[in-house]
């Protein structure tokens, strides 16, 4: 009897996808192909800030392609009604390159906001999980102050907490170690390991050579965006 081959679950797939170049992330005529499966850690090196933001937005279905498909959990973002797309984004964690903090809300409320909207878990349970993650990333606990009251380093730690909170199935990391590489890299790799072990896919977007050349990172795929072409790099 032939052995049964178990296929990994595909979390995110770009299938012959072409984007209109309104973000600076992609050239209009270039097709993007990429598959992120459960357990993957994909490292992508980009050249410009707008590429980092644009690529993450494309993964989350915020930027709509001109042609082709971007499928998250088997569903094509462009074909989904707005309410279904927004609900699916609750399964995505993200460290935003530009912070993306709501300034009139406390950092605690910012961190919990997505999960409070997308899940039925109690606020207490969310706070407990966020508190544990906060300590893991070097904070004394879940910050209760306003975003303007925290240092840039502590805000970056809080951004990592927000990205991993709620056991997301896709985690988009836009320069997650910015300004605090040595302080946070061990905790970040532990959080990535736990996420991958439970079946999540992680996409790490970076402009930094320090990250790109780090051979200790347990990367499953490497890509570079060169001349607006996404090229896989084998090592």
């Amino acid at each position: 009897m032939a052995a049964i081959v178990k296929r990994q679950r595909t979390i995110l797939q770009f299938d012959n996808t072409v984007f209109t170049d309104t973000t600076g992330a992609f050239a209009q005529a270039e097709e993007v192909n990429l598959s992120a499966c459960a357990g993957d850690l994909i490292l992508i090196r980009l050249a410009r800030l707008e590429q980092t933001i644009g690529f993450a937005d494309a993964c989350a279905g915020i930027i709509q392609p001109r042609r082709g498909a971007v499928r998250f959990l088997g569903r094509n973002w462009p074909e989904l009604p707005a309410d279904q797309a927004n609900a699916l984004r609750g399964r995505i964690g993200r460290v935003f390159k530009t912070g993306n903090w709501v300034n009139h809300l406390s950092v605690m409320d910012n961190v919990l906001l997505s999960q409070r909207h997308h899940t039925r878990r109690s606020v207490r349970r969310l706070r407990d999980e966020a508190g544990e993650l906060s300590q893991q990333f070097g904070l004394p606990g879940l910050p209760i102050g306003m975003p303007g009251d925290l240092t840039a380093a502590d805000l970056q730690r809080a951004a990592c907490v927000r990205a991993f909170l709620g056991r997301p199935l896709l985690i988009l990391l836009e320069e997650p170690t910015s300004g605090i590489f040595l302080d946070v890299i061990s905790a970040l790799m532990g959080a990535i390991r736990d996420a991958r072990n439970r079946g999540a896919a992680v996409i790490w977007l970076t402009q930094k050579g320090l990250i790109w050349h780090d051979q200790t990172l347990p990367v499953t795929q490497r890509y570079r965006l060169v001349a607006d072409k996404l090229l896989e790099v084998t090592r």
Side-chain angles (χ1 to χ4, degrees):
M1 181 180 294
I4 298 175
V5 178
K6 295 183 178 179
R7 294 179 60 84
Q8 281 186 310
R9 182 185 191 187
T10 300
I11 304 296
L12 180 74
Q13 183 175 23
F14 287 76
D15 186 9
N16 296 324
T17 311
V18 177
F19 293 88
T20 300
D21 190 21
T22 59
T23 66
F26 307 98
Q28 184 170 347
E30 295 298 339
E31 291 185 347
V32 177
N33 289 280
L34 174 75
S35 290
C37 295
D40 272 340
L41 170 56
I42 299 176
L43 183 64
I44 302 177
R45 188 173 186 181
L46 307 104
R48 304 187 305 274
L49 172 64
E50 59 269 21
Q51 290 178 325
T52 304
I53 297 170
F55 195 94
D57 281 349
C59 292
I62 296 170
I63 297 175
Q64 298 294 313
R66 183 166 59 87
R67 189 172 73 244
V70 182
R71 297 185 179 90
F72 176 57
L73 301 180
R75 301 179 183 181
N76 190 11
W77 284 122
E79 296 174 354
L80 290 174
D83 58 341
Q84 292 184 25
N86 287 332
L88 271 182
R89 292 186 186 107
R91 311 296 302 276
I92 300 175
R94 183 172 175 179
V95 173
F96 294 86
K97 182 69 173 71
T98 53
N100 204 48
W101 299 102
V102 181
N103 290 326
H104 68 273
L105 296 179
S106 70
V107 175
M108 178 180 69
D109 288 336
N110 269 277
V111 169
L112 301 180
L113 183 62
S114 176
Q115 288 301 302
R116 291 188 66 179
H117 178 71
H118 288 290
T119 75
R120 296 181 179 179
R121 297 175 65 194
S122 68
V123 175
R124 180 176 180 178
R125 289 183 62 189
L126 289 173
R127 285 178 178 171
D128 288 346
E129 181 183 342
E132 293 175 3
L133 282 169
S134 296
Q135 292 180 353
Q136 179 178 335
F137 280 101
L139 293 165
L142 181 58
I144 59 175
M146 305 301 287
D149 297 331
L150 271 67
T151 65
D154 281 351
L155 276 178
Q156 191 69 6
R157 292 183 177 91
C160 291
V161 172
R162 178 175 59 185
F164 287 92
L165 183 64
R167 302 168 69 87
L169 282 175
L170 176 65
I171 302 166
L172 305 172
L173 303 176
E174 304 171 45
E175 301 291 11
T177 64
S178 182
I180 52 170
F181 177 83
L182 293 177
D183 296 334
V184 81
I185 187 63
S186 178
L188 179 63
M189 296 314 303
I192 289 174
R193 181 193 62 241
D194 292 344
R196 295 173 67 196
N197 285 343
R198 65 172 180 262
V202 182
I203 297 179
W204 188 332
L205 306 170
T206 186
Q207 298 169 258
K208 299 182 182 299
L210 176 67
I211 302 297
W212 177 253
H213 294 293
D214 189 342
Q215 296 300 306
T216 68
L217 300 180
V219 174
T220 58
Q221 300 174 57
R222 289 175 180 264
Y223 290 86
R224 294 190 68 173
L225 197 60
V226 179
D228 295 320
K229 295 181 181 179
L230 188 65
L231 305 175
E232 187 170 6
V233 178
T234 57
R235 293 195 178 190

